[in-house]
Amino acid sequence: MSAGGSATARPRYGVVGWPVSHSRSPAMHQAAGLDYQLLPVPPERVEATLRALPASGFAGVNVTIPHKGAALAVADTASVAAREIGAANTLLYAPDGGIAADNTDAPGLLATLTGRPQASAIVLGAGGSARAIVWALRSIGCEVGVWNRTSARAEALVEELGGTALSVSGDSGLVEPADILVNCTALELDRSSSGIDGLPLSVDHLARYATVVDLAYKPGGTVLTAEAAKRTFVVDGLEILVQQGARSFELWTGRPADVAAMRSAVRNTAEDHGAAYDPPGGKPVP
Ligand code: NDP
């Protein structure tokens, strides 16, 4: 789809969220060459704003917490991934006024697993990101187990998207090995918790997973990625951010993204912000 706006104006892009001030997406997409900015929009204004942005020269936007469902709802067309996940993180504005929705969180994860064993996975969490991850893994034929603190949400998720809800009894934690472990919980960003004690994992058992993916990220890395890196292959939340961003870039521009430049921008931003990166509510915005 080609960019909206006038023939001569440089197309504009951005990330719509609430709150969104700590997003690394502007640094990442600016490094890739886009005119890209933060777009803080409260829930009561999101629908009108998403419809109005093309008139201000926007050719596309990323959409993040808590607006991914609203983004899907305003779209005229949606990819199979966005429809089945029930959320869109990327909108494309066509010159004719049409809005197309896609979800690049799912292919972003799969890109990080290239060449890795992919037959089985355990997903921790049953929130919005877990839906995209379970959908992505199921789409490649992976056998998926889902554990969540609130078990009813895990059961509802697998009922809709497939997979098996996992429960844990006693102190043993999850005992099944799997090719992939994906943490989609916000546990480490919860200020009332420390480390990964709230997850059904023992760090000594992380070698059971050929790849450990942690969607969460924070300055200095998470406890899970640090412990897993001593024992197995790790994909951190910043790499997931880069890969979903690269796919959004490609949808908007039709060109391959400069992934190395995007990765460098994201990691430098993280280091620059250091301990100051601690948003209200403790939840970074992808
Ligand atoms: P949601 O709010 O939709 O879901 C939060 C999940 O975390 C739920 O499963 C919730 O369980 C669980 N959880 C929260 N607190 C705790 C806790 N103290 N102990 C155990 N489980 C807990 O969030 P998202 O799915 O959108 O995001 C989840 C994480 O992934 C966040 O850290 C987010 O920043 C990150 N993320 C990263 C992306 C990237 O590009 N790297 C992209 C998207 C998300 P329950 O149902 O019991 O409340």
Side-chain angles (χ1 to χ4, degrees), residues 63-75 77-91 100-107 127-133 135 160-161:
V63 182
T64 188
I65 296 168
H67 298 325
K68 291 184 183 182
L72 180 63
V74 302
T77 59
S79 67
V80 173
R83 270 203 318 273
E84 293 188 0
I85 293 165
N89 76 330
T90 306
L91 293 180
D102 210 331
N103 188 309
T104 66
D105 291 329
S129 62
R131 288 184 63 86
I133 297 310
W135 186 91
E160 196 180 341
L161 296 177

Side-chain angles (χ1 to χ4, degrees), residues 37-110:
Q37 66 187 81
L38 288 175
L39 297 164
V41 180
E44 63 274 17
R45 295 207 189 128
V46 72
E47 184 179 336
T49 304
L50 290 174
R51 293 188 192 284
L53 285 169
S56 299
F58 281 83
V61 286
N62 283 131
V63 182
T64 188
I65 296 168
H67 298 325
K68 291 184 183 182
L72 180 63
V74 302
D76 302 299
T77 59
S79 67
V80 173
R83 270 203 318 273
E84 293 188 0
I85 293 165
N89 76 330
T90 306
L91 293 180
L92 299 86
Y93 296 122
D96 67 2
I99 304 177
D102 210 331
N103 188 309
T104 66
D105 291 329
L109 168 80
L110 296 181

Side-chain angles (χ1 to χ4, degrees), residues 16-27:
V16 177
W18 187 259
V20 74
S21 58
H22 292 82
S23 172
R24 288 139 164 96
S25 290

Side-chain angles (χ1 to χ4, degrees), residues 65 68 105 125-130 147-150 153 184-187 189-190 193 198-199 215-217 237-238 240-241 244 283-284 286:
I65 296 168
K68 291 184 183 182
D105 291 329
S129 62
W147 172 90
N148 192 49
R149 174 179 63 176
T150 309
R153 289 187 81 192
C184 299
T185 76
L187 169 71
L189 310 174
D190 181 343
S193 77
L199 299 182
L215 261 63
Y217 51 82
L238 291 177
I240 297 287
L241 177 68
Q244 63 78 29
K283 186 179 219 182

Side-chain angles (χ1 to χ4, degrees), residues 21 34 41 52 96 102 114 120 125 145 157 160 170 172 175 193 204 215 222 224 231 234 265 272 281:
S21 58
L34 296 185
V41 180
D96 67 2
D102 210 331
T114 305
S120 60
L157 190 155
E160 196 180 341
S172 56
V175 290
S193 77
D204 296 330
L215 261 63
T222 62
L224 178 60
R231 299 164 173 89
V234 170
D272 289 349

